[in-house]
């Protein structure tokens, strides 16, 4: 699905820089970007590019990576996690 966003840092980099979303600020620029994005959505090349990027950068992939980092940090500080281990903030 084509996306148009204002210039939010986390959207501009990497999505805007890679041409996966259109970035626009202001009403007339936003309207023009919407027209371009709708044309993009009909392009097999654009769809393939977006699909390839998102396959490795979905929320599931991001969540799994973040969870592994948190668990590794806990293991480094407190030893192996058990099934009943609970993370405690501030320890």
């Amino acid at each position: 699905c084509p996306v148009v966003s204002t210039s939010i840092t986390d959207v501009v980099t990497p999505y805007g820089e890679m041409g996966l979303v259109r970035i626009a600020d202001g009403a007339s620029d936003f309207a023009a970007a919407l027209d371009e994005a709708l044309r993009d959505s009909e392009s097999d090349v654009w769809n393939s590019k977006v699909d390839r990027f998102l396959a490795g950068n979905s929320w599931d992939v991001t969540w799994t990576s973040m969870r592994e980092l948190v668990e590794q940090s806990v293991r480094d500080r407190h030893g192996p996690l058990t099934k009943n281990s609970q993370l405690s903030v501030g320890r």
Side-chain angles (χ1 to χ4, degrees), residues 26-49:
S28 60
D29 289 341
F30 207 88
L34 287 171
D35 288 338
E36 292 172 5
L38 290 172
R39 283 193 299 275
D40 282 349
S41 70
E42 297 172 3
S43 164
D44 289 338
V45 172
W46 179 82
N47 282 314
S48 294
K49 184 178 179 180

Side-chain angles (χ1 to χ4, degrees), residues 7-9 12-13 15 33-34 36 40-42 50-51 65 68 70 72-74 76 78 87:
S7 52
I8 298 167
T9 302
V12 172
T13 305
Y15 304 99
L34 287 171
E36 292 172 5
D40 282 349
S41 70
E42 297 172 3
V50 171
D51 287 347
S65 176
E68 289 170 358
V70 168
Q72 183 60 52
S73 178
V74 170
D76 291 348
H78 303 288
L87 299 179

Side-chain angles (χ1 to χ4, degrees), residues 15-90:
Y15 304 99
E17 292 172 350
M18 295 179 68
L20 304 176
V21 303
R22 299 275 180 192
I23 305 296
D25 293 303
S28 60
D29 289 341
F30 207 88
L34 287 171
D35 288 338
E36 292 172 5
L38 290 172
R39 283 193 299 275
D40 282 349
S41 70
E42 297 172 3
S43 164
D44 289 338
V45 172
W46 179 82
N47 282 314
S48 294
K49 184 178 179 180
V50 171
D51 287 347
R52 277 192 310 275
F53 182 79
L54 292 178
N57 293 288
S58 69
W59 280 112
D60 289 339
V61 170
T62 301
W63 163 249
T64 299
S65 176
M66 290 173 62
R67 181 178 175 186
E68 289 170 358
L69 289 170
V70 168
E71 289 177 352
Q72 183 60 52
S73 178
V74 170
R75 282 192 296 274
D76 291 348
R77 287 177 157 217
H78 303 288
L81 296 173
T82 64
K83 186 174 183 177
N84 295 321
S85 294
Q86 293 190 13
L87 299 179
S88 178
V89 177

